Structure formats: C-alpha cells, structure tokens
Amino acid sequence: TRVPGAGRAAGVAASGQDRRVSAPGTAAIPTDAAGAPGRRTSLQEDAQKDAPATEPLGKGEGLVWEEEEGRATLILTFTLRNARKAGLSKTAEVFETFEAGIHHFETRQAKKSKNTTDDLEFFVKCEVDNSYVNLVNLPPFVPWFPKKIRDLDKCHHLIAKYEPDLDHDHPVSLRDPLPRVEYTVQETATWREVYRKLNSLYPTHACKQYLDVFQQLEKCCGYQEDSIPQLQDVSRFLKERTGFQLRPAAGLLSPRDFLASLAFRVFQSTQYIRHSSSPMHSPEPDCCHELLGHVPMLADKEFAQFSQAIGLASLGSSDVEIEKLAALYWFTIEFGLCKQNGSIKAYGAGLLSSYGELVYALSNTPEHKPFDPELTAVHPYQDQTFQPVYFVAENFEDATAKLQKYALKIKKPFSLHYDPFTCSIEILNTPQKVKNMLSQMKEELKNLCFALENIS
Ligand SMILES: [Fe+2]
C-alpha cells in the first residue's frame, strides 16, 4: 500500500466496487446529514457538484484517519480519470471547500490505467475539523493491534528504560533466544535475601495455585536461594504448562503494548535485579518481581486464561478502555486477592514479590472489596505506596467469566478469536469465518461427548 502509517493507524475505508473513495466532498457524504449546519450543508452540495469522477476503490487505495483534539488527520489514496485535464484543480477545490490543511499532496501517472496517460493516482494527507469527518460514513477509528505473534516486535514502546543490556531501538525478537545473564555475586546475594524472606511468608499468605507451582519450580526450574533462574529455562517451563512464554523487556512498557502481548500468551519480563542497598523494595519491576511474583501464577491454567482474556480485550480498544483494562490488570494480576477455604490469599505479583505489602494486604488495615470489573476498572490506584483497597475474587474461573462479560461490552466493530495453532488473532468479520469457528467447536464437542461416554 502507498498509505504511510496504514499499518499503525486507524480505520481503513471499506473496499468494494460500489464504494467511492471517501474523499471529503465526494459522493460518500450523505446529502441528508441530519443536524448539519446550513453552511456545512451548502459546502457539501458545492463539493458534490464539483467532485471529479472517481474510480472505485482498488487494491492499495483507501483512506486512513485519526482523530485528536477536535481535528482529524486523513490519509487518502485514490485514482481520478482524465485528471490531467481538469481533475487536478477541481480536487484541490474540494479540499479548499472543506478548509482542509494540506500536509502532503502528490500525484503520479496511474499505474494500471486502461484508458490514457491522463489518469492520475493521488496521495493526500490533510487535516480537517472533526465535524466534517462525522458527516461522512467512515468506519469507526480502531487503533492498530498485533494480529500475529511476530507483530509483537512492533510492541516495544517504553514508558521508562531500565535494562542496561537491552537496546529498545533494536528489541529482542521472540525468534531470538532469550539471553542468558551472568549475575554478579552481589546480585545473587540480593536475590538470596529476597527469596528467603518471601519464602517464609508464602505458606500462610500465597494462594494454593502459587504454592503448587512454586514447588515444581524448585524441583525442575532452578528456583533456589543461591542462584537466579534464567528466563530461558523459566520460559520453557511455562510453555509446557500453559503456553505462556517470556520475552525480555527493556523497561516499563506502555499499557497498550504490554497488554497486547498477553493476548498471545507472551509475558514481557525484565532481567535486571533491584539495587542491593534496598533488597526489600524496588520502585520498578525487576527479576525478583517477575520470577517470584508473576511466573508461578502464569503456570496455572486458569490464571493463564484470565491473563490472556485481559490481553484479548485490549486489542483494538480505545485509549479510554486501555486505561480501564490497565486498572483491572493492576488490581488483579498485580495486586489481586482471592478467597480460598474460608480465608483470603494473595495471587497478585506485586504482593507476592513484596514482603511488606503482602503482610499489609492480608491484615485488617486495608479495605477488601469483591472483584467487580465495572467498579474495579474505574477505581483509582496507588503506585507510590501500599494500596488502600484490594479486590477479592471468588476464584479464577469466576473472575475470568466476569472479565469476559465486561470485555464484551467494550465497543468494537468486530469480534476476535485467538488461534492457538498459529498463535494469531482472527477477526471474525464474515459469516464464513463464524461458520468455520462453529464447525471447529462442533468437532471439539463431539470429542468431549465421546470422552464422557467412555467415563460413564
Ligand atoms: Fe508486574
């Protein structure tokens, strides 16, 4: 495509033989736009009268648009017949009519023209008032999101960079092996202190799922006081249990990028360790937080599904929805509590990697509220000190069901399905795709019925 940034931005105009390029002022503007001010209506009429003949949208032609602070930036590619004679000036008039600020205006001879050399291809980038765009039947704005696991190579926007050995301009790809790190004696001593202290609390404060996996990690993944486990070994362990894999991150990622990776069961993990002068506290995630807080829970099947559900909900969501999902992530995956055998236990990584907050969270001091995605998503959170409020899930199955119900209410013009065989996201936007999904489910159900018959 000739549309710069098309992979990054916005909604692309629908293609098809019956549609015209949605250039402002062409036939794509409805003449009966309700509520349009008089001047605007007359502008539309003028524009339609003057609109040059446009070719139907072809491959590589279309429109990309983004909205910000009342202004819309449009990127258009289209072809005009006989444009050399009169179309060029009339096209410019259309943009003038709509008071468009032109950023870029470029033409070239149409490559696939059947007629004459007078046909021109146009590439225009311009900025117009949002109200004009709202008059046009444009598809809703959808932020770019990764569709394949390799697209995660583009999800590395850092809020802050801490990892000295990783360059975020050239991030490590999933196709590269996870680098092994030689930790110093001092760093290993810090790990030992953290490991010992937290391990003394786990039996009474951590949830059952955490304790079960922690035992396995000690047995087969090098979890011990005297050495810091390598991400490569831990990632292999997780992949065998829940399909999750680790990817080294160079620091604190943007919420959109971080959540997107969860949709593919990829967890972005730091590798450096906190400073030895304060072993019980790290202002940012470090390998103690990742290895002791996150990893054991990611090896639990139900928790893995819950984590992926937040990730899937984030794909294509607006910035406002991302903010709410980030709050949900915060109060569950980072600071979540759950009921277990009549008492409350911790499953959040921020708690399980912080001795002080783990003790505090399960004391009578903070408030404990039931996990309800609608309320949790808009609850303010504290990232400088302990939380005044923690949300308690009934169990992971219940929390996942509630989260999925919440995610269905996020407005998107499509539904998504994660294909675990190809590790890719499928957009269910045609009846055939839905039908294919249904027949796959039918096969699975047959298999389950057969299994039940065998058991009974
Ligand atoms: Fe974390």
Side-chain angles (χ1 to χ4, degrees):
T1 177
R2 293 177 58 225
V3 183
R8 182 181 62 79
V12 178
S15 60
Q17 293 302 306
D18 59 336
R19 292 291 297 270
R20 301 268 166 177
V21 174
S22 306
T26 66
I29 294 180
T31 50
D32 60 348
R39 174 170 148 68
R40 203 163 290 150
T41 310
S42 101
L43 284 174
Q44 286 173 52
E45 285 164 2
D46 288 351
Q48 280 167 0
K49 201 164 54 195
D50 292 340
T54 57
E55 290 290 331
L57 281 171
K59 202 178 176 189
E61 297 192 340
L63 180 151
V64 176
W65 65 289
E66 284 182 317
E67 277 185 59
E68 198 175 353
E69 293 174 358
R71 302 288 291 171
T73 301
L74 311 177
I75 299 170
L76 302 111
T77 50
F78 54 94
T79 306
L80 294 188
R81 287 195 300 272
N82 297 317
R84 268 186 217 275
K85 288 172 190 162
L88 192 58
S89 59
K90 286 196 172 178
T91 303
E93 275 175 34
V94 171
F95 288 97
E96 272 176 33
T97 305
F98 279 86
E99 299 159 340
I102 303 286
H103 292 213
H104 191 108
F105 194 102
E106 188 182 324
T107 65
R108 70 175 185 189
Q109 190 181 322
K111 267 186 186 166
K112 292 177 185 169
S113 176
K114 290 179 202 158
N115 306 317
T116 66
T117 55
D118 289 340
D119 294 353
L120 287 181
E121 287 176 359
F122 285 72
F123 165 66
V124 183
K125 184 176 178 187
C126 66
E127 194 184 310
V128 292
D129 190 275
N130 254 2
S131 54
Y132 289 132
V133 175
N134 292 336
L135 295 174
V136 187
N137 185 24
L138 289 179
F141 173 81
V142 177
W144 176 87
F145 61 89
K147 318 283 187 309
K148 295 179 178 149
I149 201 161
R150 70 164 176 263
D151 292 344
L152 291 180
D153 291 352
K154 297 171 196 160
C155 298
H156 52 80
H157 301 101
L158 294 174
I159 294 173
K161 185 184 174 188
Y162 297 100
E163 173 59 87
D165 299 328
L166 286 173
D167 179 355
H168 71 274
D169 292 329
H170 300 93
V172 178
S173 159
L174 276 174
R175 294 183 292 278
D176 301 331
L178 286 158
R180 292 191 88 84
V181 178
E182 292 297 327
Y183 291 101
T184 63
V185 173
Q186 181 68 265
E187 287 170 330
T188 307
T190 303
W191 166 263
R192 186 183 304 117
E193 195 174 344
V194 177
Y195 191 94
R196 261 189 207 162
K197 196 136 196 221
L198 284 168
N199 216 352
S200 67
L201 266 191
Y202 290 151
T204 48
H205 288 63
C207 67
K208 185 184 177 301
Q209 290 87 339
Y210 182 93
L211 296 173
D212 287 349
V213 176
F214 202 85
Q215 269 188 354
Q216 293 174 42
L217 284 164
E218 284 186 317
K219 209 190 281 174
C220 38
C221 215
Y223 269 55
Q224 52 175 301
E225 286 179 9
D226 295 328
S227 71
I228 304 173
Q230 294 288 336
L231 289 194
Q232 208 178 86
D233 302 332
V234 174
S235 187
R236 201 178 301 124
F237 173 89
L238 287 176
K239 191 103 174 82
E240 282 173 8
R241 276 151 185 88
T242 57
F244 254 96
Q245 55 186 310
L246 301 180
R247 174 195 176 101
L252 204 57
L253 285 158
S254 76
R256 184 179 290 284
D257 285 348
F258 185 83
L259 294 175
S261 66
L262 293 180
F264 296 83
R265 297 206 174 205
V266 170
F267 191 84
Q268 309 246 16
S269 170
T270 53
Q271 273 184 301
Y272 60 88
I273 189 160
R274 61 193 64 181
H275 198 270
S276 57
S277 61
S278 83
M280 286 304 132
H281 175 73
S282 171
E284 303 300 339
D286 72 332
C287 69
C288 292
H289 170 71
E290 320 284 22
L291 293 167
L292 297 173
H294 285 291
V295 167
M297 291 310 301
L298 289 172
D300 178 76
K301 284 200 168 102
E302 284 180 335
F303 182 83
Q305 203 189 341
F306 178 82
S307 305
Q308 188 181 26
I310 295 192
L312 287 169
S314 78
L315 300 180
S317 284
S318 66
D319 289 348
V320 174
E321 294 298 347
I322 291 287
E323 210 173 301
K324 291 182 187 173
L325 289 166
L328 278 172
Y329 173 89
W330 183 266
F331 283 117
T332 55
I333 293 175
E334 291 293 352
F335 292 97
L337 299 176
C338 61
K339 288 183 187 170
Q340 224 154 53
N341 300 326
S343 59
I344 293 177
K345 303 283 179 181
Y347 70 87
L351 299 175
L352 293 161
S353 60
S354 161
Y355 186 91
E357 190 158 1
L358 185 53
V359 172
Y360 163 84
L362 292 183
S363 71
N364 293 326
T365 312
E367 197 181 340
H368 290 164
K369 288 186 173 180
F371 173 64
D372 173 355
E374 298 283 351
L375 297 176
T376 309
V378 293
H379 202 283
Y381 60 80
Q382 177 56 258
D383 61 359
Q384 298 298 316
T385 180
F386 298 167
Q387 308 300 312
V389 175
Y390 296 92
F391 289 89
V392 184
E394 290 295 321
N395 51 59
F396 294 137
E397 198 184 352
D398 183 65
T400 306
K402 282 179 176 156
L403 185 78
Q404 283 168 338
K405 199 173 159 196
Y406 173 87
L408 284 176
K409 288 185 192 162
I410 298 176
K411 277 190 187 163
K412 287 183 204 170
F414 46 72
S415 294
L416 299 175
H417 166 67
Y418 179 71
D419 183 341
F421 305 113
T422 57
C423 298
S424 60
I425 303 290
E426 190 170 16
I427 300 175
L428 299 174
N429 54 359
T430 65
Q432 190 56 46
K433 285 182 184 173
V434 177
K435 206 174 152 190
N436 292 346
M437 271 279 301
L438 275 172
S439 59
Q440 276 175 33
M441 282 171 69
K442 222 165 120 185
E443 286 306 310
E444 290 283 323
L445 278 173
K446 262 192 224 166
N447 196 26
L448 289 178
C449 291
F450 185 63
L452 276 174
E453 275 172 30
N454 276 343
I455 294 166
S456 55

